Amino acid sequence: MEDTTAMDVSEQDDARLLQRYIDACSNWGRWGEDDQIGTLNLVGPEQIRRAARLARQGRTISLSLPYDQSGPQPGGFRNNPQLYLTATGTDHVTGAQDVLPAGWGPAKGLGFSDDVLVMPTQCGTQWDSLSHIFWNGKMWNGRPADQVTTKGAQANGIENYTGRIVMRGVLVDMPSHRGVDSLRPGEAITAADIENFLADHSLGVEPGDALLVRTGFMAARRDDWGDYAGGHAPGLSLHAAPWLREHDIAAVATDTWGVEVRPNEISYFQPLHIVSLVHGGIAFGEMFDLDALAADCAQDGVYEFMFVASPLPLTGASGAPVSALAIK
Amino acid sequence: MEDTTAMDVSEQDDARLLQRYIDACSNWGRWGEDDQIGTLNLVGPEQIRRAARLARQGRTISLSLPYDQSGPQPGGFRNNPQLYLTATGTDHVTGAQDVLPAGWGPAKGLGFSDDVLVMPTQCGTQWDSLSHIFWNGKMWNGRPADQVTTKGAQANGIENYTGRIVMRGVLVDMPSHRGVDSLRPGEAITAADIENFLADHSLGVEPGDALLVRTGFMAARRDDWGDYAGGHAPGLSLHAAPWLREHDIAAVATDTWGVEVRPNEISYFQPLHIVSLVHGGIAFGEMFDLDALAADCAQDGVYEFMFVASPLPLTGASGAPVSALAIK
Amino acid sequence: MEDTTAMDVSEQDDARLLQRYIDACSNWGRWGEDDQIGTLNLVGPEQIRRAARLARQGRTISLSLPYDQSGPQPGGFRNNPQLYLTATGTDHVTGAQDVLPAGWGPAKGLGFSDDVLVMPTQCGTQWDSLSHIFWNGKMWNGRPADQVTTKGAQANGIENYTGRIVMRGVLVDMPSHRGVDSLRPGEAITAADIENFLADHSLGVEPGDALLVRTGFMAARRDDWGDYAGGHAPGLSLHAAPWLREHDIAAVATDTWGVEVRPNEISYFQPLHIVSLVHGGIAFGEMFDLDALAADCAQDGVYEFMFVASPLPLTGASGAPVSALAIK
Amino acid sequence: MEDTTAMDVSEQDDARLLQRYIDACSNWGRWGEDDQIGTLNLVGPEQIRRAARLARQGRTISLSLPYDQSGPQPGGFRNNPQLYLTATGTDHVTGAQDVLPAGWGPAKGLGFSDDVLVMPTQCGTQWDSLSHIFWNGKMWNGRPADQVTTKGAQANGIENYTGRIVMRGVLVDMPSHRGVDSLRPGEAITAADIENFLADHSLGVEPGDALLVRTGFMAARRDDWGDYAGGHAPGLSLHAAPWLREHDIAAVATDTWGVEVRPNEISYFQPLHIVSLVHGGIAFGEMFDLDALAADCAQDGVYEFMFVASPLPLTGASGAPVSALAIK
């Protein structure tokens, strides 16, 4: 697919760097050849119990954007969610439902609404599946990419994540750390940034944790999305990949469309996806709404919580919407 | 809407009974005129903390059916979920993705899958919203039904539940209690049945609890759904409505399509919905997969757990799919 | 619905004018109480034979825009058509189709593509149905508007047009007549304009004819649609309504989104729809691509042709896409 | 793709026969390397003028099934068409449309309906495109099958047919010829059958004609489709392929789901598609409703007519719905 003879010197450097990170961060085979959940293997009973103990105050905070036409998509390849009503209250009050469907007889005063949802799985708050990204014909754990056909993913689909993603969550609130409302497009968050934030808040991370990284970019664009979805954005640095691997972070979610900084730091598109998702098997969460959580954490000074974010079991899908919660 | 002069004696009795239950069980106004979440008001910090303490063993059990073509819908009014791939691994390996979309440049080895979901919100495991059912032109809390138009529900939509439904859950496993694999269509579960089950397992219920009632009917039909969705079914008795109200149950979910027994016990369609959802404001969950949970509870004898089942925030929708979890 | 007491003097004048046009142009009851096709009743065997005789040169010209993502819709209420592939050639060449679906056995070299179309019926070249527009609770022929529910139109749906709309067509090419590339937004086309054009080209119109009116606005916006769909536009004057009625024009189609000039000439939205579609029962065609036809007519000087434009029989729909043809 | 070493004697015979037919019937290259319309090249001005002269009586007959939930699809891979209303008359009469969308101001009495269509392109009356079927990695005119990706067909898509398919049509009404209501599943129609029918009705065929072949199977199944779509069916014999080629038939349409007889006559799936569509480039029309046309032809004894059946220009699609007409 790639004609290496045509690469110039800088591209060759990029290719070597990328390969070095892949080699350093790969978890292929670590949990067996059949594994389809990657770093979620790091979350066991102890991690779940530990997470539940963080629900100290009995407060839940939703981390999901509304799924509707106010969403961030500009349309075209991905649209915002559409809801089509197949039964309405206006039908009910005008008598159009006086005979119920399906042979259920006369309505006798009862009425109902019903609807159909049409949405790209990647249009709003969502987890990428391990079948979402390929690298040179392969996806997570070395499976061939052509296992993802028009019938969906035969392996690594998002349904493998369902029933999981219950663990300790830690919020890394970068804009408050830097004293700004929002990081700027192109501004990268490094491993040192994360470490500094954690140290400042006397926090450590442990294997199986979820790292929620707030850039402030959703807050900055919420009223006028512009090119929020797909455009330039702040985000994680490619060079943070080894840190994620060394600390056995199970999941990373940001308030941006693509987790990593855009434009990318090397001449490859979304290289952190290539390293940490395809090879590392880390769960990537995108467009998580971390604003209310950040306000809450700023108020009580507690940046850790029970994180519950099991995606819908959409068989064979490249990702799935999720009603994600922080429970404190 | 209903011409009472045309009712015969038995229908008049039914109408009086229904009205009596409505009067006895209504919560309209209990949490203010603007309330849109009904009995979820009963879940506060104490209830959430209590729930989290039930996560003793660090084990999660998924309660959601896969959302795919293997689902229970016969098609027509409601179809099973469809996933349309808008990018595939087969496109990637044949070179069709060598130029990335959106001006992102050459792929240089990277590929991706993407997809669009089309699904009725009421087709599988789902919560009804408080805008799903109307009674004589009104919905929960007395709001006019014509607030639900083709644009969705202006009030009582399912998005009001999002970020909630974290509480203690109790499983009532009726078929194991009766020594059968599954209750039969038309077989009703009464308040006495629930009380007996709880007493046998030394359990009580408290305000704000979620009651998960298993009939075994999903297990019976899982391999060949037949008329599972929409047909005759076991389920809760209408006459259990006062018990639910007296015990301030916040949410009820079953492994059937419609919570209550079908055919209904009186000459009204889904009268428990009329009484307990429209007037009681209780959250109704349908087609929850309780089989793995029942097996787990039978094994360790523990029928209570942390229940986390926040629905997707589908603005204005009549219901929403959910990745529901029991955490023990 | 309309509180006449609140209208100022100018609005009262508009209301009176609108009512006068309605009275003058209404065809309600003209073809019986059950009629659902309006002025298409004017097209009988003689009109069809006459149309066929205009196919003198044996040349067909397509009048339909492509239905795809390049269409004029800005998204939101109406999107451009989307095509979802459910089987691809890339699946075939990678071997994913080696076993055929539906128990059809091994592919043995055969492969196939398949796809699903999602499109608003009003998103591109289309006929409005007589159930598309209501006026004070009624639609064409006096039928109550609430016969159009979430189940579609019980009467006046677009399927009534199917098998029809075969008649003589006459092109009125206004920009060439005025020596401009395109009429401007807000520029109205009057009955006198039409008459002048016809006289200049030695043409008359007869009952049952279709009038295709080109404004040039599609040509002006084709490469960058902007607010073409829904925004200001040139188009027919409301005051042309009596002329259409007197000449018993059966169908009118333009190269704009809404047939009539926008902003409208009086303080009512789309008053020509109210007069000529709701009350006159005239078939309205929108976003017809008349550019190739205009070029052809300019070349041979023949502005009449066989017009064949039967819409898809979408039961109960507000409109339907159409593969419209001029045959010369 | 095919391992010839594993074929038994009978399969080898089938493979040789198929190849012989392919060699005999191929039109690859006949109209240049860039051609994407196949035998529609046979229809020129003379053919169109000749067709128009057949519109003698001024009568149109629709040949398209309604596109709605009453259609022949069993669901699953292909569903029947669904229409989602995005605006209704019930919304209008209850006042929900009193403010118009898109900043158009107050409704002042006007209302409207709107809707979205979701349909598989192959679900009802439709033309196959020349990108619908592949044979060993290639489609019509030798183009590689992987030009059909999730983005649609880059070549041979159905939009190439739009503006065409206006020619003389000839109805071959087999069941009336055989004195039965319907041919049986598995019953093949041979070249001799066609010739006999034509001779009996004193008809010839000429290059560029469309052949509409009625089996009666739609009439037999219309009230209860059963496995009509995808199951066993009467249809054209594979062995009719050379006759179609020799007579330069431009288009063939039947009242069955797949044109050719099922089960197929040799051990290949839909071999007539392989020979006559992939290699011959003949337009294949499926699920055409020929019953009203057959009744009309039986009455006046005229089995030829002007056939107008231009499909919707769905860019890159595997097929398209069509409002097909016979004009006599």
Side-chain angles (χ1 to χ4, degrees), chain D residues 164-250:
Chain D
R164 301 174 186 274
I165 314 197
V166 175
M167 71 264 280
R168 177 181 181 241
V170 172
L171 176 70
V172 175
D173 186 6
M174 286 308 299
S176 77
H177 196 57
R178 293 191 181 169
V180 296
D181 287 335
S182 171
L183 271 57
R184 296 179 313 277
E187 194 171 349
I189 297 167
T190 64
D193 291 328
I194 297 170
E195 296 239 313
N196 283 339
F197 181 91
L198 295 174
D200 274 12
H201 293 80
S202 306
L203 285 169
V205 290
E206 297 189 41
D209 278 356
L211 211 63
L212 309 195
V213 182
R214 183 171 174 269
T215 68
F217 200 52
M218 182 177 283
R221 292 293 184 86
R222 194 188 291 270
D223 294 327
D224 185 4
W225 292 107
D227 70 347
Y228 170 88
H232 291 185
L236 283 186
S237 169
L238 165 64
H239 310 295
W243 188 93
L244 296 173
R245 173 69 179 77
E246 287 155 20
H247 291 80
D248 266 344
I249 299 297

Side-chain angles (χ1 to χ4, degrees), chain A residues 112-197:
Chain A
F112 68 104
S113 67
D114 234 275
D115 28 37
V116 171
L117 174 70
V118 178
M119 69 180 285
T121 62
Q122 304 265 341
C123 72
T125 306
Q126 117 276 343
W127 289 110
D128 283 353
S129 73
L130 292 173
S131 65
H132 179 46
I133 304 290
F134 315 122
W135 177 244
N136 286 325
K138 295 203 182 302
M139 52 178 170
W140 161 248
N141 223 6
R143 289 180 186 267
D146 62 9
Q147 289 186 352
V148 185
T149 72
T150 51
K151 297 193 182 313
Q154 293 167 43
N156 293 341
I158 197 67
E159 72 274 22
N160 294 287
Y161 279 1
T162 301
R164 302 174 185 275
I165 313 196
V166 176
M167 72 264 280
R168 177 181 181 242
V170 173
L171 176 70
V172 175
D173 185 8
M174 288 307 300
S176 77
H177 196 59
R178 292 190 183 169
V180 296
D181 287 334
S182 171
L183 271 57
R184 296 179 313 277
E187 194 171 349
I189 299 167
T190 65
D193 291 328
I194 297 170
E195 296 239 314
N196 283 339
F197 182 91

Side-chain angles (χ1 to χ4, degrees), chain D residues 14 20 56 61 68 129 138 158 208 290 298:
Chain D
D14 288 351
R20 212 157 55 227
R56 295 177 194 130
I61 299 164
D68 60 30
S129 74
K138 294 202 183 303
I158 197 67
L290 305 176

